[in-house]
Amino acid sequence: DAKTTQPPSMDCAEGRAANLPCNHSTISGNEYVYWYRQIHSQGPQYIIHGLKNNETNEMASLIITEDRKSSTLILPHATLRDTAVYYCIVRVGKDSNYQLIWGAGTKLIIKP
Amino acid sequence: DAGITQSPRHKVTETGTPVTLRCHQTENHRYMYWYRQDPGHGLRLIHYSYGVKDTDKGEVSDGYSVSRSKTEDFLLTLESATSSQTSVYFCATSGTAISSNVRNIQYFGAGTRLSVL
């Protein structure tokens, strides 16, 4: 069963920051939060992951609350090409031999 | 991204026939995974492999079998396809490089769309 809850859809204006929320209230202490996205008809693409601390890379930032029960993915300057389904995922299992438990995702539409 | 090729990309078959999907990778990644994706759902793990001839079941393994005789190839077989197995199937790989970031990221193929009539 999915361990994450996301809004089914969101809109964002081009050039603005897109903030995608995710609830994972049953997450265990050693389980990571991952974000992937899937552009229509393509394979999922990795974005970012984290455990406790906030993370940033060239694609996005991940903000995890102190109690780890929720997180937010931030796309700082959304473009039309960021229109996709974004999945918040919990990683279970030990390092290297793990499984990703996927939720239903948020369909993000970037509008001109 | 890891070089992952799935074949075929599209397949239509009849109920009761056997079907084999192939995943081929060129990155020498140790781990390989098969997922299915149905409308309105995220991906669900079918089977995975943690080395040549080492496989294990995932969340939705009933009706599926897998084999991995070489590092680069991971086969998914539907012994007797049913209409409930109509889905999009994705293969993924992850490595065991020293860098934890590489080790802990799964890379996905483009998917195989399977229709069972």
Side-chain angles (χ1 to χ4, degrees):
Chain A
D1 292 340
K3 300 188 74 170
T4 60
T5 304
Q6 301 175 252
S9 63
M10 293 181 62
D11 294 343
C12 180
E14 187 178 19
R16 305 296 295 268
N19 295 272
L20 292 91
C22 179
N23 287 322
H24 32 79
S25 58
T26 62
I27 196 170
S28 298
N30 61 348
E31 293 175 344
Y32 283 72
V33 177
Y34 279 62
W35 285 83
Y36 277 73
R37 72 180 183 183
Q38 187 174 27
I39 297 170
H40 184 63
S41 298
Q42 298 181 19
Q45 177 190 22
Y46 168 81
I47 301 173
I48 199 167
H49 73 281
L51 182 63
K52 299 179 183 177
N53 300 322
N54 298 337
E55 302 287 346
T56 295
N57 63 20
E58 65 278 6
M59 290 184 69
S61 294
L62 174 61
I63 309 298
I64 303 174
T65 58
E66 192 170 344
D67 63 7
R68 302 208 330 117
K69 293 185 176 182
S70 65
S71 60
T72 301
L73 179 74
I74 301 172
L75 308 178
H77 305 287
T79 71
L80 298 179
R81 288 183 295 180
D82 291 323
T83 291
V85 178
Y86 287 76
Y87 292 97
C88 176
I89 299 156
V90 171
R91 190 189 93 182
V92 301
K94 56 186 177 182
D95 196 35
S96 293
N97 190 11
Y98 60 86
Q99 295 186 27
L100 300 179
I101 309 300
W102 297 64
T106 294
K107 183 173 178 59
L108 176 66
I109 299 173
I110 306 301
K111 298 188 173 182
Chain B
D1 287 351
I4 301 171
T5 304
Q6 292 187 232
S7 59
R9 292 293 315 281
H10 303 272
K11 185 169 181 66
V12 180
T13 191
E14 294 184 349
T15 299
T17 60
V19 176
T20 295
L21 308 183
R22 180 180 184 239
C23 179
H24 179 79
Q25 55 124 341
T26 59
E27 296 295 319
N28 199 33
H29 281 174
R30 176 181 177 184
Y31 297 91
M32 299 186 74
Y33 311 82
W34 276 108
Y35 292 89
R36 63 178 286 173
Q37 185 175 34
D38 302 300
H41 293 272
L43 278 65
R44 291 183 291 172
L45 183 65
I46 304 172
H47 282 280
Y48 65 100
S49 169
Y50 46 96
V52 173
K53 297 185 179 178
D54 292 324
T55 64
D56 206 348
K57 297 178 180 180
E59 177 188 1
V60 290
S61 60
D62 288 348
Y64 302 94
S65 62
V66 290
S67 65
R68 191 165 177 206
S69 59
K70 298 184 291 185
T71 298
E72 57 266 35
D73 290 327
F74 193 32
L75 304 181
L76 176 71
T77 297
L78 292 66
E79 300 290 349
S80 177
T82 67
S83 58
S84 64
Q85 293 176 311
T86 292
S87 188
V88 180
Y89 292 85
F90 287 100
C91 174
T93 73
S94 63
T96 54
I98 294 175
S99 164
S100 63
N101 268 345
V102 174
R103 182 171 67 241
N104 293 325
I105 297 171
Q106 290 186 14
Y107 299 93
F108 285 82
T112 294
R113 187 172 297 274
L114 176 67
S115 296
V116 183
L117 305 178

